[in-house]
Amino acid sequence: MEPIINDFTFNIATANGTGSQSANLILLQTMFEMGVPVSGKNLFPSNISGLPTWYIIRVSDDGYQAPGDRTHIQVLMNKVTWEKDVAALEAGTIVIYNTDVKMPVERDDLVLYPIPMTKIARGLNPKLARMISNMVYVGVIAEIIGLDQSVLETAIIKQFDGKTKAIELNSTAITLGREYVAENFEEMCPYVIESREKDPDAFIIDGNKAVALGSIFGGVTMLSWYPITPSTSIAEDIISYLPSLRTDEDGNLTCAVIQTEDELAAAGMVVGAGWAGGRAMTCTSGPGISLMSEFVGLAYFSEVPGVIWDVNRAGPSTGLPTRTQQGDLSMLFELGHGDTKHIVLIPGNMAECFEFGWRAFDLAERYQTIVFGFSDLDLGMNRWVCKGFDYPEKVDRGKVLHSQSEIDAIGNFGRYRDIDGDGICYRTLPGSGLEPILYRGTGRDEDGAYSENPEVYVANMERLKRKINGARTVLPQPILREEPEKQVGIIYYGSMENTIQEIDDVLESTGLKVSQCRIRSLPISPVVEEFVASHEQIIVLEVNRDGQLYGILRKELPINLVPRVHSVAYSDGLPTRARKYADMIREKLLEVMP
Amino acid sequence: MKLNIIDLPKDDYKGGPSSLCPGCGHDQISNVVINAAWENGIEPDRIAKMSGIGCSSKTPAYFLGKSHGFNTLHGRMPSVTTGANVTNKDLHFIAVSGDGDTASIGIGQFVHAIRRNLNMVYIIENNGVYGLTKGQYSATVEKGSQKRKAKMNESPPIDLCAMAINLGCTFVARSFSGSKKQLTSLMKAAMSHRGTAIIDVISPCVTFNNNDESFRSYGYVKDNQTELHSYDFIPKFKPITEVEVPEGEYRDITLFDGSILRLETIGSDHDPSDAVNALSHIHHAEQEQKHVTGLLYHNPVPKTLDEMLNLSNTPLAELSDDMIRPSEENLEALLSELRS
């Protein structure tokens, strides 16, 4: 039997609320600590207990992070999905299953590891048998793929945060699983884990935590939030880190946190805090963004800074609330009634989640507008390898006047007068006593006084457009990886970053070399236009139905470039899989290329 | 020129000219806000005036021209005020809303601002109709009341004072725009309170709801107002010894800033610390188709939102960059924790 080293995918089928997440994270952490490139995807239901959950672990020396195209090792714990899970397997798949579920595996082309997991667990602690049985499969897997026992034990200690009783119990269950395999089965699994040299800087983190930490280092002074999957942990992580990172010498906090009555209030508080001179943020998902729409328009028009993170889940409506999508992009870009355009930051990895976390505040105060952070469930809630965070650049509080002499130096100050010609006006803060105005969502002149004058309105709207356009070269610029052939270019963004290299390799294996352009902000940079102009065909690759970035590009690119731009968009709620998108790209190119 | 305790003329508290209908109750309330803030000697710089959308919400343009303000969204003034309040807790927040803005579209934010005991004066200019959209009934209109050229209203009203008391609001008063003396005393007291101070002011709409059949017309309210007490406001800077002691019975309420509201008994002696009795007054007034006015409820004890949040003594808006950004050493320590 030829061993297959560090190149396979696990699928672990359990029910949620049974403690399987701990078991899965111990597996992930152990392999990570052994230096093996690994990624984990949690496919969970919108439910607290009892519904089907799958955890997919991809092991790949090539560094591929998307779920693979097939399952190599299947764990079966859940009666409900059992038959479908078995039916979906390719011949030769290793199947580790709990015989106490009393479900058959009626196929003779699979490699079977029947294990009485519940019985083993019951022997340890009858009350906790259901939870401990998950640890038994950890032991089984550890034995058959060769996980290092000492690294495994360290991962258990980390997972249970030093709680002695839990560590002992779970550790014993894992050992019993190992022993059961050693005593009852011949070696029949080709899949093997081999240690690699671990990067000492690397750690595992989810995108929401990285955004939370970035926001704390960005100087957030107010977080207003309403719980919604998959954004909730941004707020909870901020709350958990504030005592250690944002307490002053008197023991008081330098950031207010308010759990609100709804997302309208969350957005309203962001606007109020930004108006009063704070660095304010909220985090939500699509349904929350819908509710925040009116406030975002107010902030755009009255020019108040604020940060809103959208961790996208599959819409429309309640949609698939625990599944991923890039379906809110066009909504964010033009949120609100009337003509609006917003700055959107789109991180594609953990370091960028942190960086855009702090940078969002600088940009919001520089441009006196709402800045969106656009993440998704895959990036936000799944765990990714990260090598570290760079300390932020100097704080930029934007054009705020703090003294009468500064106002005198300007001469003809007006809250909405464009003194510098960049569309960005100077502001004064409540409490300063300097040039007070009544902020409003109604039309107003350059001094902030109510006006319905058509010329005044047009001048103001044109200035707002100029202001946001000015950010195009300042925002995080696209990342390009160009092939000398410059035949086909792929434009993509966000969490697709974690699949693009594998897509690229799949395409290259069919003889197609593609350039890549990852967009990291809206409105788009001029670099994107250059990229489009320098390639014969452009594919805009995204995780939604309608090709939302494609739509934005059609509007933003010069008309002569539009015919070479094509959309490949697909979303089924699952994390992106390379083969699916690679096939769609090839089909599209066959269709459009001469 | 007459100056107040901080040597400012009243002109420093005035705003632009009103564009409301001549005779509108709201303009009288604006004048009361101007007088109360001036006489209390609050620095205009330190006031933030807030409002939602509607006729009433336009009035911050007509008072306190030297204060920053925000005319926000329909029904959403409380959330904007909340964000601003925690960002600069040392400002005086004076907010204006209407019955449409508060009792319908904004009822959720009204409820939650009270629940948080947000430190603000929340004035409801309550006329029972939507003025800017030309006179539709609002949710505070009494059962049996009838506006001009319309059917009688048959739905029960939302009583914002009763609601506020039930929610634990720390200062609840009802007044009438035509009762200038009472309203001024209550306004000053509200400005001296720490916590959410609700003043529900019956403010007749002269254009759409001032006919005889309306329970909120000038004539009706004048004839059917039941005053709980008569009031004297004694500002913190005025020695109490200089105040004439009333002949009848009275009760003094000491407010947060040290000012005193003196309640002189008119009819039954209502104790504003008694929430149940306050609700009983409201209930009986509604049954008798009357308006009970005065200080209904006061409780100085509960913490305000900014106190509950355990915030820095320096307002968050004024913190220096190094106060809001953890150090490089903090980041290094965090990264090594994540790597361990």
Side-chain angles (χ1 to χ4, degrees):
Chain A
M1 188 170 52
E2 195 66 28
I4 298 164
I5 300 160
N6 294 359
D7 184 18
F8 49 92
T9 297
F10 298 87
N11 183 321
I12 303 168
T14 59
N16 76 326
T18 60
S20 55
Q21 178 76 343
S22 301
N24 301 334
L25 291 178
I26 287 168
L27 279 172
L28 190 74
Q29 185 71 25
T30 303
M31 290 184 267
F32 170 73
E33 290 297 337
M34 288 173 73
V36 179
V38 69
S39 75
K41 307 275 188 191
N42 190 18
L43 308 185
F44 60 104
S46 178
N47 178 260
I48 298 301
S49 181
L51 287 187
T53 300
W54 295 267
Y55 198 75
I56 298 169
I57 298 177
R58 175 84 178 270
V59 183
S60 164
D61 269 346
D62 291 328
Y64 296 153
Q65 301 184 68
D69 298 315
R70 61 159 288 198
T71 298
H72 302 90
I73 301 177
Q74 175 74 48
V75 178
L76 297 171
M77 303 292 286
N78 188 5
K79 194 173 182 171
V80 182
T81 63
W82 194 283
E83 285 175 345
K84 276 192 179 171
D85 286 337
V86 171
L89 297 173
E90 284 188 26
T93 303
I94 306 290
V95 180
I96 299 161
Y97 67 101
N98 185 358
T99 51
D100 297 323
V101 176
K102 307 222 183 304
M103 288 290 284
V105 182
E106 287 165 340
R107 278 179 62 172
D108 52 14
D109 58 346
L110 304 172
V111 181
L112 303 182
Y113 284 85
I115 318 276
M117 299 189 202
T118 314
K119 198 174 153 204
I120 293 171
R122 204 173 285 134
L124 275 174
N125 185 327
K127 278 187 188 163
L128 300 175
R130 198 168 183 215
M131 300 190 105
I132 303 167
S133 60
N134 293 312
M135 290 301 158
V136 178
Y137 74 66
V138 174
V140 171
I141 289 172
E143 187 64 21
I144 66 171
I145 64 170
L147 294 184
D148 185 298
Q149 182 61 22
S150 66
V151 180
L152 188 56
E153 274 164 20
T154 313
I156 299 168
I157 292 167
K158 187 176 171 123
Q159 180 63 32
F160 294 103
D161 203 17
K163 290 174 197 124
T164 323
K165 265 194 174 170
I167 291 166
E168 202 185 295
L169 185 64
N170 287 287
S171 183
T172 311
I174 290 172
T175 305
L176 289 176
R178 273 200 113 123
E179 287 172 3
Y180 190 89
V181 172
E183 286 163 18
N184 294 287
F185 298 94
E186 305 274 309
E187 258 185 53
M188 51 188 190
C189 172
Y191 305 110
V192 178
I193 290 287
E194 220 170 65
S195 290
R196 298 284 179 255
E197 197 178 335
K198 193 192 160 217
D199 180 343
D201 286 342
F203 55 92
I204 293 183
I205 192 168
D206 61 72
N208 282 357
K209 192 181 219 175
V211 167
L213 290 168
S215 305
I216 287 177
F217 277 82
V220 58
T221 59
M222 195 217 60
L223 163 70
S224 51
W225 68 292
Y226 187 79
I228 181 171
T229 303
S231 73
T232 304
S233 66
I234 292 182
E236 289 177 340
D237 284 333
I238 288 177
I239 292 165
S240 74
Y241 277 101
L242 281 179
S244 59
L245 291 171
R246 294 289 299 277
T247 301
D248 69 11
E249 53 197 14
D250 303 320
N252 298 321
L253 294 174
T254 59
C255 177
V257 179
I258 306 169
Q259 187 185 323
T260 64
E261 54 269 37
D262 54 29
E263 287 92 343
L264 289 96
M269 289 179 200
V270 167
V271 171
W275 171 71
R279 297 199 134 189
M281 71 176 282
T282 184
C283 47
T284 187
S285 192
I289 297 288
S290 295
L291 290 177
M292 293 175 183
S293 162
E294 193 181 12
F295 263 122
V296 170
L298 174 68
Y300 174 80
F301 195 53
S302 62
E303 300 184 66
V304 173
V307 173
I308 300 176
W309 276 89
D310 177 7
V311 188
N312 204 155
R313 64 192 219 184
S317 189
T318 309
L320 307 177
T322 57
R323 298 298 158 89
T324 196
Q325 193 170 71
Q326 296 178 324
D328 295 345
L329 191 71
S330 53
M331 168 170 74
L332 295 184
F333 187 44
E334 296 191 344
L335 192 69
H337 52 270
D339 294 312
T340 58
K341 279 284 186 305
H342 307 293
I343 293 171
V344 185
L345 303 180
I346 313 169
N349 56 44
M350 295 301 104
E352 287 177 357
C353 283
F354 179 84
E355 183 199 327
F356 296 177
W358 62 260
R359 199 179 283 285
F361 292 106
D362 287 356
L363 290 166
E365 289 197 311
R366 171 55 46 186
Y367 291 96
Q368 302 175 11
T369 196
I370 294 292
V371 170
F372 286 108
F374 180 61
S375 177
D376 61 29
L377 184 142
D378 189 16
L379 204 58
M381 288 188 75
N382 284 319
R383 286 160 204 247
W384 306 93
V385 175
C386 174
K387 296 194 174 165
F389 302 137
D390 292 332
Y391 193 71
E393 293 157 16
K394 195 176 177 305
V395 177
D396 179 6
R397 301 300 309 253
K399 295 187 187 180
V400 181
L401 300 176
H402 294 287
S403 67
Q404 190 56 47
S405 58
E406 288 175 286
I407 292 170
D408 294 342
I410 285 171
N412 59 337
F413 172 86
R415 170 63 186 94
Y416 298 108
R417 188 161 292 125
D418 185 6
I419 305 291
D420 300 331
D422 56 3
I424 309 171
C425 309
Y426 288 85
R427 64 183 183 130
T428 61
L429 299 179
S432 67
L434 299 168
E435 300 289 340
I437 63 154
L438 185 64
Y439 274 63
R440 50 171 96 238
T442 47
R444 66 280 191 286
D445 63 18
E446 292 183 328
D447 293 312
Y450 181 76
S451 171
E452 293 175 357
N453 179 308
E455 289 82 27
V456 167
Y457 174 78
V458 170
N460 188 40
M461 291 301 289
E462 290 299 322
R463 177 182 60 75
L464 286 170
K465 188 174 178 178
R466 204 165 66 240
K467 179 178 84 164
I468 300 296
N469 278 339
R472 288 176 193 272
T473 53
V474 177
L475 299 174
Q477 295 295 295
I479 305 262
L480 305 181
R481 302 182 194 100
E482 293 188 280
E483 296 285 354
E485 288 83 351
K486 301 228 171 179
Q487 198 183 11
V488 176
I490 297 184
I491 294 176
Y492 69 101
Y493 56 98
S495 60
M496 186 64 90
E497 170 68 355
N498 303 303
T499 314
I500 194 71
Q501 199 48 51
E502 192 177 355
I503 293 173
D504 189 296
D505 291 350
V506 172
L507 292 175
E508 195 160 329
S509 73
T510 67
L512 182 65
K513 284 191 162 186
V514 296
S515 299
Q516 302 170 12
C517 169
R518 177 159 66 92
I519 287 182
R520 301 196 300 161
S521 59
L522 293 178
I524 58 163
S525 154
V527 174
V528 178
E529 187 182 324
E530 289 162 24
F531 180 83
V532 174
S534 65
H535 287 76
E536 290 168 26
Q537 301 292 342
I538 294 289
I539 295 289
V540 185
L541 183 65
E542 47 196 320
V543 189
N544 52 51
R545 185 189 68 180
D546 292 344
Q548 299 193 3
L549 178 63
Y550 169 73
I552 292 168
L553 289 173
R554 276 180 64 121
K555 211 159 144 184
E556 298 240 331
L557 290 170
I559 191 77
N560 63 310
L561 292 179
V562 169
R564 69 180 68 180
V565 183
H566 316 286
S567 173
V568 169
Y570 176 74
S571 167
D572 56 11
L574 300 176
T576 49
R577 284 142 296 159
R579 179 76 56 183
K580 174 77 191 166
Y581 289 90
D583 288 349
M584 287 180 73
I585 290 168
R586 283 171 51 217
E587 279 165 31
K588 178 63 76 176
L589 288 172
L590 283 174
E591 184 187 317
V592 299
M593 276 169 90
Chain B
M1 198 191 323
K2 207 174 163 193
L3 303 176
N4 67 0
I5 190 79
I6 56 166
D7 295 329
L8 295 178
K10 202 197 247 182
D11 279 354
D12 281 10
Y13 291 79
K14 289 182 177 165
S18 170
S19 63
L20 299 174
C21 307
C24 178
H26 299 355
D27 284 333
Q28 293 162 310
I29 301 169
S30 294
N31 284 330
V32 168
V33 171
I34 292 165
N35 285 332
W38 180 61
E39 287 168 20
N40 270 16
I42 304 172
E43 293 167 85
D45 291 3
R46 306 302 298 166
I47 295 173
K49 44 183 188 171
M50 314 297 289
S51 67
I53 293 291
C55 291
S56 55
S57 290
K58 291 167 80 164
T59 63
Y62 317 141
F63 59 74
L64 296 166
K66 290 188 182 300
S67 306
H68 272 80
F70 205 149
N71 176 193
T72 66
L73 297 180
H74 199 21
R76 316 290 175 223
M77 173 277 288
S79 64
V80 179
T81 308
T82 307
N85 177 291
V86 298
T87 301
N88 198 336
K89 63 187 172 61
D90 291 351
L91 297 183
H92 294 267
F93 288 88
I94 298 174
V96 179
S97 179
D99 40 313
D101 200 55
T102 285
S104 288
I105 192 169
I107 193 108
Q109 298 213 341
F110 170 74
V111 164
H112 287 274
I114 291 172
R115 186 167 170 261
R116 296 187 180 104
N117 197 21
L118 190 62
N119 188 22
M120 69 186 293
V121 177
Y122 189 134
I123 303 161
I124 303 147
E125 303 188 348
N126 193 338
N127 54 21
V129 287
Y130 285 79
L132 272 184
T133 50
K134 302 202 187 295
Q136 300 79 10
Y137 280 128
S138 82
T140 62
V141 63
E142 296 80 0
K143 203 170 174 173
S145 181
Q146 189 173 354
K147 66 183 172 73
R148 198 166 65 91
K149 295 182 187 166
K151 276 170 62 177
M152 180 193 286
N153 168 59
E154 294 184 74
S155 302
I158 291 176
D159 190 299
L160 294 169
C161 287
M163 204 165 170
I165 293 166
N166 278 317
L167 290 162
C169 187
T170 51
F171 184 108
V172 183
R174 173 164 288 148
S175 189
F176 170 44
S177 61
S179 301
K180 191 180 168 192
K181 181 178 176 293
Q182 183 204 53
L183 179 57
T184 305
S185 296
L186 291 172
M187 190 70 73
K188 288 178 183 171
M191 289 175 180
S192 300
H193 175 69
R194 185 167 168 77
T196 310
I198 299 281
I199 308 186
D200 179 30
V201 190
I202 302 160
S203 175
C205 175
V206 290
T207 304
F208 298 110
N209 200 15
N210 199 30
N211 47 308
D212 291 345
E213 302 78 18
S214 163
F215 292 5
R216 279 174 193 256
S217 65
Y218 273 110
Y220 187 91
V221 182
K222 262 185 194 151
D223 294 342
N224 292 285
Q225 184 180 194
T226 311
E227 294 182 66
L228 287 170
H229 321 93
S230 81
Y231 300 97
D232 258 330
F233 179 83
I234 305 152
K236 60 183 175 191
F237 44 81
K238 186 168 184 180
I240 190 92
T241 46
E242 288 177 16
V243 181
E244 207 178 313
V245 178
E247 284 177 10
E249 285 189 38
Y250 70 94
R251 144 194 331 263
D252 283 348
I253 287 180
T254 306
L255 299 157
F256 173 78
D257 72 356
S259 302
I260 287 168
L261 187 66
R262 178 161 287 174
L263 284 51
E264 293 164 37
T265 307
I266 300 174
S268 64
D269 178 29
H270 172 58
D271 174 0
S273 70
D274 185 345
V276 174
N277 195 42
L279 290 169
S280 168
H281 276 289
I282 293 170
H283 182 68
H284 288 302
E286 188 189 332
Q287 282 193 322
E288 292 157 19
Q289 299 186 333
K290 303 254 182 210
H291 295 288
V292 59
T293 63
L295 180 63
L296 287 155
Y297 185 67
H298 175 243
N299 177 6
V301 177
K303 281 185 181 177
T304 53
L305 175 66
D306 58 293
E307 289 167 344
M308 287 186 266
L309 292 175
N310 187 31
L311 300 179
S312 275
N313 296 325
T314 308
L316 302 182
E318 292 165 20
L319 292 173
S320 59
D321 293 353
D322 61 334
M323 288 289 291
I324 58 171
R325 167 163 293 166
S327 66
E328 275 195 82
E329 292 70 40
N330 286 143
L331 181 60
E332 283 313 311
L334 175 77
L335 288 171
S336 42
E337 185 194 309
L338 291 168
R339 282 166 183 147
S340 71

